[in-house]
Amino acid sequence: MAHSPRVLTRQDLMKILDVKQIGVDEAKKQISLRAAAKLKDIQMVVEEIIADVELNKDSALRHYTKKFDGVDIDNFAVPQEDIVEAMELLPDDVKQIFQESIDNIHQFHALQVFQDVVVDEPGRRLVQKAIPLASVGLYVPAGSFPYPSTVFMLAVPAKAAGVERIALITPPQKDGKASQIILAAAGMAGVKEVYLGGGAQAIAALAYGTESIPKVDKICGPGNAYVAMAKKTVFGDVDIEMVAGPSEVLIIADDSADAELVALDLLAQAEHDREAASVLVTVSPKLAEDVSSYVGKYLDSLWQGDSIARQSIESNGAIIIAESLEQAACISNSFAPEHLEVCCIDHEPVIRLIKNAGCVFIGKYTAEALGDYMAGTNHTLPTSGTARFSSPLSTYDFMKKLNYVEYGKEAFGKIAPKVVKFANLEGLVAHGKSVSRRIEKYE
Amino acid sequence: MAHSPRVLTRQDLMKILDVKQIGVDEAKKQISLRAAAKLKDIQMVVEEIIADVELNKDSALRHYTKKFDGVDIDNFAVPQEDIVEAMELLPDDVKQIFQESIDNIHQFHALQVFQDVVVDEPGRRLVQKAIPLASVGLYVPAGSFPYPSTVFMLAVPAKAAGVERIALITPPQKDGKASQIILAAAGMAGVKEVYLGGGAQAIAALAYGTESIPKVDKICGPGNAYVAMAKKTVFGDVDIEMVAGPSEVLIIADDSADAELVALDLLAQAEHDREAASVLVTVSPKLAEDVSSYVGKYLDSLWQGDSIARQSIESNGAIIIAESLEQAACISNSFAPEHLEVCCIDHEPVIRLIKNAGCVFIGKYTAEALGDYMAGTNHTLPTSGTARFSSPLSTYDFMKKLNYVEYGKEAFGKIAPKVVKFANLEGLVAHGKSVSRRIEKYE
């Protein structure tokens, strides 16, 4: 791959940290400094809204929709005709792109199936069986640019899992209606149940139900800090897929990487959110400088003035110069990025070291944006370091498992005295008696 | 199966509800009335403890251990020699029973493996790969009768998943030491890292780390309301397996069931906890009366006076007479029991209707207690109706997945223009530019 042309304008917009100078621990610390979303501050507000919706249902939902979205809603349920009409209004080329996105997501997610687990011995049968959840609620934000891709990333896996009831809720636009493109996307993904509602009140409605909106078993989907806090609050009463924070990318690159493309991939995260984080870890000081310059250049040409991307880059952007690709992987594992790009001439050894990441994008053609829309992997990924323990949204998230145990006479006879002894050891006399009486009756 | 002898002593201790009289909805409602654990009331206390431990680490943990457990702890880490010694002190017959329990749990849980998911087309490769979590924390309560079975149910699946670092924390006994039998169980399960600590402060220590206790990625294990609230509070910063409530059993039985054994199985749940729920749903009015009598009889003979089991049965015990086994299954699905026993002459048609349950125990030999100790299925199960959306603890809980995407030139060329169009539709200009510049550079 050809080197990008030498620094165009020198802006030093992105802080460049050299591990040789500051040490690896400090480098890890620097990129983890991102202001934790102040969830605590909004906890009380969110708990109040949820309690109100749980108690007063539609009337509370109506109140908060008026208050926060500025519109009066009579019917929260979007009529089926509106969904059909939105689909029909979609230009053919967009429809084709949407269909390909759906098909690719379905292809990858249809393979994510739990195998039944069976232990079958004479007189002893243990089974674990997976079945779809009965109902899920999908939260789809709708700002000035609603994201139909979010609909696909949530609804297609739910469909693949076989969930019978998929309820989608999306904030009303200024005209009091649902975003046309969200409706069209919902229709194309096969979602028939769509409601108007946003923020913590929408999450509460899905969790506890209202007169208009029957409650669901699990709530998935992205949103602002209020939505995240609301999901955490209702967790336990319903399931949630994760508590999502702002988006982030970490790019590991050597000097074979194209500085301009690396810069654009960093900016693609930065444009999401002021809190988004864009980090480059490279073994090439030259690449570090070139990327910083390109970031400056594109911040001026893609947006005017004080853009979200600029604020994001200034607050949470960083370039780290590592001493080796192994060290780069180690720093990346510590950050546990939602998106990880590996742009190295020999990427295999780096990939093998990666333990914590949501989705890994490999090689020069695999822009992170491919995964956001069309590749087929899910774009709902663990953020804020939670890739240490969380996984990308998958078909598994829309299923649950039941265990089954069945003992016959002989196998029971062998194990029963041991169970009695074990139970008595734990001081649970009725447990013991429930088995010892069976021994007496059935021997 | 022979009928149990006719009512021995008539106590009417358990409320008997007839669906014919009260209707199925009222029956469902009656058994769901169980007082929801007052988590709200303890939220502030728990949040304060957690914040203190997060800030002051060992010294805060020491403070709360003194306050709640009444002992001064110098070293939270239990020396390896103590674990070995506890194992050596275990009687041989107990050791054998423990080993069989471990082996059976391992046998069932070793089968619970994610398959790698691969889409491999020319120039387009998508992979989902599962790997073990790096570290987990296991919380094991230790009351007057500590439960070694809890150690096995948590540690064996973690081992089966391949988790490298398994840290177990258990409250100190009155002598300031760990329960000997918990230590022995930990040793037998292959857990080498054991700490002293209980309640919310122990959960906080595992979640955020202290000078003595390195933080973990996921926390599993049962506990009282403080532990449950603490787990919910730290969720998001670490993963948790579930928010567990009091134990519960629902038994579906026809007139082939043995009333005495049904009564004992109900009591086996009731003895766990005042808040535990024990529910029988039967199509046989005679069985209902007989079970109620046996419950009364055993409450007097197994325990004296005002036992936990008696309080539990009086508050949360119920017998429902259903009009059909289909209706019984429907009522059970609404309750979504942690443990479900099906004691019917023909159990298959009933089992097929079951959608919400943690573990299903089938037939007259399969006492629920088998699953608590020896069968091999997990006894960490969804409670309080969460079987609607939650699963038994499994090996999957100790793993996470990473996605990988790699595109080659041609496949990129085909999909790239669509990604650009999709990105622009969502107003994400840098996303679009990151792909369109690749087209220009690489075509």
Side-chain angles (χ1 to χ4, degrees), chain A residues 1 40 43 47 93 97-98 100 104 107-108 111-112 114 117-119 121 124 126 128 131 133 145 147-149 181 217 232-233 235-239 258 260-261 264-265 268 271-272 298 303 347 355-362 364-367 370 372-375 377 386-389 391-392 394 396 400-407 409 412 415 418-419 421-423 425-431 433-434 437-438 441-442, chain B residues 1 43 47 93 97-98 100 104 107-108 111-112 114 117-119 121 124 126 128 131 133 145 147-149 181 217 232-233 235-239 258 260-261 264-265 268 271-272 298 303 347 355-362 364-367 370 372-375 377 386-389 391-392 394 396 400-407 409 412 415 418-419 421-423 425-431 433-434 437-438 441-442:
Chain A
M1 193 185 299
K40 276 282 165 210
Q43 184 174 339
E47 286 181 357
D93 58 339
I97 291 172
F98 280 7
E100 187 169 336
N104 285 353
Q107 179 192 31
F108 187 57
L111 300 172
Q112 296 163 18
F114 283 111
V117 171
V118 181
V119 170
E121 292 176 351
R124 171 170 171 255
L126 315 179
Q128 182 171 87
I131 63 172
L133 297 181
F145 283 101
Y147 295 168
S149 58
I181 201 151
D217 291 333
K232 180 169 172 170
T233 304
F235 170 64
D237 293 334
V238 293
D239 198 12
D258 184 302
E260 183 181 2
L261 298 176
L264 280 167
D265 289 352
E271 73 178 325
H272 273 298
Y298 273 113
W303 304 276
H347 53 69
K355 301 292 177 201
N356 302 331
C359 192
V360 184
F361 300 83
I362 303 169
K364 64 183 189 176
Y365 297 106
T366 318
L370 267 56
D372 287 340
Y373 298 114
M374 301 290 296
T377 48
T386 59
R388 278 192 296 122
F389 49 78
S391 304
S394 70
Y396 305 115
K400 64 171 181 179
K401 288 153 283 173
L402 288 82
N403 287 347
Y404 301 82
V405 190
E406 185 171 10
Y407 268 75
K409 185 172 179 178
F412 171 78
I415 208 168
K418 300 166 192 166
V419 174
K421 177 135 195 165
F422 206 145
L425 200 71
E426 292 193 351
L428 294 171
V429 295
H431 281 68
K433 194 76 183 169
S434 74
R437 279 301 283 144
R438 275 180 171 83
K441 291 202 166 197
Y442 296 142
Chain B
M1 192 185 304
Q43 183 175 339
E47 286 180 356
D93 59 339
I97 290 172
F98 280 6
E100 188 170 336
N104 286 352
Q107 178 192 32
F108 187 58
L111 300 172
Q112 296 163 19
F114 283 111
V117 171
V118 181
V119 169
E121 293 175 352
R124 170 172 172 253
L126 315 179
Q128 183 171 87
I131 63 172
L133 297 181
F145 283 102
Y147 294 168
S149 58
I181 201 153
D217 291 333
K232 180 169 172 171
T233 305
F235 170 64
D237 293 334
V238 293
D239 199 12
D258 184 302
E260 184 180 1
L261 298 176
L264 281 166
D265 289 353
E271 74 178 326
H272 272 298
Y298 274 113
W303 304 276
H347 53 68
K355 301 292 178 203
N356 302 330
C359 191
V360 184
F361 300 84
I362 303 169
K364 64 183 189 178
Y365 296 107
T366 318
L370 267 56
D372 286 340
Y373 298 113
M374 301 290 298
T377 49
T386 59
R388 279 191 297 120
F389 49 78
S391 304
S394 70
Y396 305 114
K400 64 172 182 178
K401 289 152 282 170
L402 289 82
N403 286 347
Y404 302 83
V405 190
E406 184 171 10
Y407 268 75
K409 184 172 179 179
F412 171 79
I415 208 167
K418 300 166 194 168
V419 174
K421 177 135 195 167
F422 205 145
L425 200 70
E426 293 192 349
L428 294 170
V429 295
H431 281 67
K433 193 76 182 172
S434 74
R437 279 301 283 144
R438 274 178 170 84
K441 290 199 168 197
Y442 296 142

Side-chain angles (χ1 to χ4, degrees), chain A residues 68-90:
Chain A
F68 297 122
D69 300 308
V71 291
D72 289 300
I73 303 288
D74 285 330
N75 293 316
F76 293 106
V78 174
Q80 200 53 40
E81 310 88 77
D82 291 12
I83 301 174
V84 173
E85 192 184 287
M87 282 171 70
E88 283 168 356
L89 289 174
L90 215 56

Side-chain angles (χ1 to χ4, degrees), chain B residues 336-353:
Chain B
E338 180 191 13
H339 306 99
L340 170 65
E341 286 189 13
V342 179
C343 307
C344 300
I345 190 99
D346 184 14
H347 53 68
E348 269 306 318
V350 179
I351 301 288
R352 267 201 299 276
L353 296 172

Side-chain angles (χ1 to χ4, degrees), chain B residues 389-400:
Chain B
F389 49 78
S390 281
S391 304
L393 187 72
S394 70
T395 310
Y396 305 114
D397 284 295
F398 296 101
M399 309 198 76
K400 64 172 182 178

